[in-house]
Amino acid sequence: MVRLAVNGGEAVAKDLGRLIPKWPIFDEDDVEAVVEAVRGGRWCRLYPGSYAERFEVEFARYHDAKYGIAVANGTVSLELILKTLGIGLNLGDEVIVPAYTFIATASAVTEVGAIPVFADVDPSTGNIDPKDAEAKITDRTRAIIAVHFGGYPADMDALTSIARRHGLYLIEDAAHAHGSEWRGRKVGAIGDMGSFSFQESKSLTAGEGGMVLTNSDELAERARLIHNIGRVIGKPGYIHYILSSNYRLSEIQAALLLSRLRKLPNEVRVKHENGKLLADMIRRIGVVEPTRSDDRVTVRGYYYFVMLYKPEELDNIPKDVFIEALRAEGVPVGESYGPPLYRQPAFSRGNLIKAVPRHILERMPNYEELNLPGAEEFARRELVLPHQILLAPREALELVAAAIEKIKEHADELKPLVSKFKVSDITHRR
Ligand SMILES: Cc1ncc(COP(=O)(O)O)c(C=O)c1O
């Protein structure tokens, strides 16, 4: 008799682990590139013709941008962007950020002395809702940060038009979206400045790393100055023109990224196609649905394959129980970031006092009072698969679908498990 794996039956997708490439992937070219950088003896980028310089040029070219500035990670890349735009120099500067994202999108704002203002997200994508973003604009707003959640481009038409109308900077947090396209244009270079992460789980990685993209000569020059502790290339290294920090990427990471970048376009193509296949497969089954399709999204680079859980199609079994059941069948499913950011402990008054200067804290909203319906719904329903599943053969996608189908057919077996799994309060406001 067939039973769910969570109840001791055989896992239908037990071979999935073997089929999904072990992340991070690398080949002998990548190893050689790192060895060459190590042997070369120049491990810091402060030489002409550095790996970092070459990587910046290649990465910017692939993303249709004029300039790239390579940095240590995708958190400081956001901080560098905000500093370059002068955000945080005036007391009370506000930046509108989506309420559902990785915390760095918002913590970068507080790190430069500005105030994050949360806008709601579209519950069918997790991306910032342009209407709510516009409603949150005040005379202190300086910028909007759009995150391309999971690699699904935010509505860049609406956001560009809002930013233009209100005289705001539009910043793209493209940490999830290497290679994604909005109406044929790569994201990350559509707004004023874009930010990428090369942390280990990302589509392009050297363990850590980040990139700032821009098409503006002036902003690129200023970002370069700030990223290199106020030095100007071509002038003596002991003269510093502005007080700032060191954001530089190491040469060994840059060499690895340069090598990996050559494979990225093909990986993006494969993930885009497999993402469509998997979306079709799960749409037919029900229980979970893929993010909504939009013809303006011409390429999806994928960091997460996002699925939205529909408990009403599974006897109202809580999401946590569904996750346990799917994992037991062999599918590496999980949640991305848990609660909307305003419910993270870091945004409680008690913890803000320890992190934010008093004169800024006084001007901050009470985040604990927020309750944005789109972000709450997205938090309640979202499930994610890691992007490398989309680099696996079609058989792997079929196993994911088979596991969902099996759970759907045996939903009655899940009922007794509901009381066994504690549903976390912080993640799901009911
Ligand atoms: C949306 C988003 N922004 C920023 C970052 C920060 O990148 P890093 O981990 O390289 O600092 C991440 C990392 O996961 C992210 O997901």
Side-chain angles (χ1 to χ4, degrees):
M1 191 185 80
V2 176
R3 291 181 72 202
L4 290 180
V6 74
N7 285 330
E10 193 183 346
V12 71
K14 61 180 187 310
D15 291 334
L16 200 51
R18 192 176 47 76
L19 294 169
I20 302 172
K22 190 173 167 323
W23 199 261
I25 51 172
F26 61 91
D27 61 20
E28 280 314 302
D29 292 345
D30 303 324
V31 174
E32 268 174 40
V34 172
V35 170
E36 186 192 279
V38 171
R39 292 227 162 94
R42 293 183 159 180
W43 295 0
C44 170
R45 71 167 300 171
L46 296 172
Y47 304 96
S50 64
Y51 286 102
E53 214 173 292
R54 281 186 278 157
F55 175 55
E56 287 170 346
V57 169
E58 296 290 321
F59 189 84
R61 184 178 300 148
Y62 174 58
H63 284 90
D64 309 326
K66 202 162 166 193
Y67 302 106
I69 298 102
V71 296
N73 60 61
T75 302
V76 295
S77 54
L78 288 165
E79 292 172 25
L80 176 60
I81 288 174
L82 293 164
K83 288 198 170 189
T84 300
L85 299 174
I87 293 169
L89 290 180
N90 293 310
L91 186 59
D93 278 354
E94 293 176 359
V95 178
I96 295 172
V97 301
Y100 201 90
T101 169
F102 182 63
I103 196 157
T105 316
S107 67
V109 176
T110 58
E111 284 295 302
V112 302
I115 298 173
V117 173
F118 291 116
D120 207 357
V121 302
D122 175 343
S124 63
T125 60
N127 282 334
I128 193 163
D129 171 353
K131 275 209 186 75
D132 199 51
E134 186 163 27
K136 298 283 158 66
I137 295 172
T138 70
D139 55 4
R140 294 173 303 281
T141 308
R142 303 289 315 283
I144 299 173
I145 306 183
V147 176
H148 305 297
F149 196 90
Y152 187 111
D155 184 342
M156 294 308 288
D157 292 359
L159 291 166
T160 305
S161 135
I162 292 167
R164 216 173 271 151
R165 247 183 296 122
H166 294 270
L168 305 175
Y169 290 115
L170 179 57
I171 299 166
E172 291 174 78
D173 182 348
H176 294 182
H178 313 69
S180 286
E181 285 179 16
W182 174 258
R183 294 207 287 113
R185 280 179 74 189
K186 295 257 180 7
V187 302
I190 299 175
D192 295 288
M193 300 188 92
S195 168
F196 287 82
S197 162
F198 307 125
Q199 181 271 336
E200 187 179 274
S201 60
K202 302 299 188 309
S203 302
L204 178 67
T205 179
E208 300 280 3
M211 181 71 81
V212 169
L213 294 184
T214 184
N215 289 312
S216 155
D217 301 358
E218 195 190 321
L219 293 177
E221 192 183 321
R222 193 169 160 74
R224 239 176 245 300
L225 175 75
I226 298 173
H227 116 288
N228 192 14
I229 198 153
R231 293 183 178 119
V232 172
I233 308 282
K235 300 218 169 142
Y238 50 77
I239 302 294
H240 304 265
Y241 293 85
I242 194 161
L243 291 173
S244 79
S245 194
N246 172 4
Y247 293 84
R248 295 187 308 262
L249 180 73
S250 96
E251 281 292 271
I252 296 163
Q253 288 163 285
L256 178 55
L257 287 164
L258 192 57
S259 176
R260 291 283 336 139
L261 179 60
R262 292 191 194 109
K263 290 103 187 178
L264 182 67
N266 187 50
E267 287 167 10
V268 168
R269 259 193 304 276
V270 171
K271 288 198 282 186
H272 175 81
E273 290 307 324
N274 281 342
K276 279 201 287 194
L277 273 178
L278 185 57
D280 285 345
M281 287 179 192
I282 67 168
R283 200 178 284 115
R284 261 182 253 128
I285 303 165
V287 179
V288 287
E289 62 182 329
T291 43
R292 127 178 94 72
S293 54
D294 183 335
D295 289 343
R296 297 172 299 175
V297 174
T298 39
V299 175
R300 284 183 67 175
Y302 287 105
Y303 172 52
Y304 292 131
F305 182 88
V306 176
M307 304 183 288
L308 302 166
Y309 179 49
K310 300 201 277 188
E312 64 281 9
E313 293 187 12
L314 201 71
D315 289 346
N316 288 315
I317 297 291
K319 184 170 83 166
D320 307 48
V321 176
F322 178 66
I323 289 176
E324 288 301 326
L326 204 48
R327 280 191 184 150
E329 297 297 339
V331 178
V333 68
E335 292 182 293
S336 60
Y337 302 122
L341 282 186
Y342 51 80
R343 275 199 288 114
Q344 283 282 351
F347 279 100
S348 70
R349 210 70 187 167
N351 288 334
L352 282 171
I353 287 170
K354 298 174 205 154
V356 176
R358 187 158 308 151
H359 58 285
I360 297 170
L361 186 62
E362 279 164 4
R363 289 169 164 78
M364 279 181 162
N366 185 355
Y367 295 108
E368 286 169 87
E369 280 176 358
L370 284 175
N371 191 354
L372 300 174
E376 295 294 337
E377 183 184 336
F378 190 71
R380 222 166 23 240
R381 297 181 63 204
E382 65 102 37
L383 293 166
V384 298
L385 298 171
H387 61 94
Q388 58 268 30
I389 213 166
L390 300 178
L391 291 174
R394 188 187 166 116
E395 190 189 341
L397 311 181
E398 282 161 355
L399 288 178
V400 173
I404 298 170
E405 197 144 25
K406 181 180 171 192
I407 293 169
K408 184 182 174 188
E409 278 166 19
H410 295 263
D412 53 327
E413 276 189 51
L414 293 176
K415 276 270 165 73
L417 300 180
V418 172
S419 55
K420 254 180 72 182
F421 293 101
K422 194 182 167 312
V423 176
S424 98
D425 282 346
I426 182 169
T427 312
H428 309 295
R429 182 167 282 170
R430 290 170 193 287

